Amino acid sequence: MKLPETPITDDHIHFNPHRGRGVEAAKDFKRAGGTHVFYVSLPAYSLGICPTTADDFAASFEETLRIADLVRTGAGITVFPVLGVHPIEVLKYADRLGLPAAESLACSGLDVAARLVAEGRAVGLKSGRPHFPVTGDVAAASERVLVHALELAADLGCALQVHAESGPCADIVDLAKKAGMDPGRVVKHYATPDTPLMPSFLAKQDGLAAMARAGRRFTMETDYMDENSRPGAVLGPKSVPRVTRHLLETGAITEDDAWRIHAETPAAVYGVEITL
């Protein structure tokens, strides 16, 4: 069975020719039936850049956008860049610069990302907080960085992808509202079904079909890391189209469900057009 005449979108994927397969991985996604991706920036150090200033983040984002262009032309898919600062970066830069400087640097990086969204070169921001135990001062600094990202996204009227601990993260709803942002445009990356935020579920998430049939709005992702040292981590680039095909072939979801997952919902959340 061929995939229906509907887009197939991966809401959180990475391509990294510095450490992985780059365009070749994107071609795998397309060959499996994929059409659109939200290409999320990697930590700057994954691109060989060790930031000490906002200009360094600018360089890492420019490299991310360059790779996005390579994927567009080389694989023939639609690429929506999402730029920001991974919460792990606060910890890494604190080891080198101290925590206050690392927090300030992360916020400066988000400011640069926001400028690129405002210029129309990216469609959303990413931020978050550590998904593993950290000291209280690190947790507080990370939370302030997340709040800054929410405020930027609210000012821009764009979506924010959030990396955070597993579970509902219900408190982020309140943080979003205080920042003036619609929580429905706060995308919980690697989501669990109990989140009140906009869930982006891994393609291996249990219960996808039941949630789709119930009309729940969500997107699908692989969080493919594109690192040769970890091939297929977290999921391979073919996973979203393959799982979607299987759900359709078995009648677990309808073509209307697939349209809602892969076109209608991400288009509304990110404010973009998703068509074939």
Side-chain angles (χ1 to χ4, degrees), residues 5 32 79 97 112 186 235:
E5 293 302 312
V79 182
L97 304 171
V112 174
V186 180
L235 296 176

Side-chain angles (χ1 to χ4, degrees), residues 20-45:
R21 299 176 60 228
V23 173
E24 292 307 309
K27 289 179 179 178
D28 283 350
F29 171 74
K30 182 178 183 180
R31 281 191 288 264
T35 59
H36 296 68
V37 298
F38 288 88
Y39 168 44
V40 182
S41 61
L42 288 159
Y45 59 80

Side-chain angles (χ1 to χ4, degrees), residues 168-239:
C169 298
D171 63 303
I172 298 179
V173 171
D174 294 331
L175 293 177
K177 289 178 178 178
K178 288 178 182 177
M181 184 174 181
D182 175 5
R185 301 191 74 189
V186 180
V187 179
K188 178 59 172 72
H189 156 58
Y190 216 120
T192 51
D194 54 357
T195 186
L197 301 169
M198 174 54 64
S200 179
F201 292 126
L202 284 179
K204 66 180 181 180
Q205 173 67 49
D206 291 337
L208 288 176
M211 288 186 286
R213 289 196 305 271
R216 182 168 186 185
R217 294 189 174 275
F218 62 85
T219 59
M220 292 173 63
E221 65 173 70
T222 56
D223 193 20
Y224 174 65
M225 300 300 296
D226 198 17
E227 292 190 4
N228 290 330
S229 62
R230 295 188 294 165
V234 172
L235 296 176
K238 301 176 184 179
S239 300

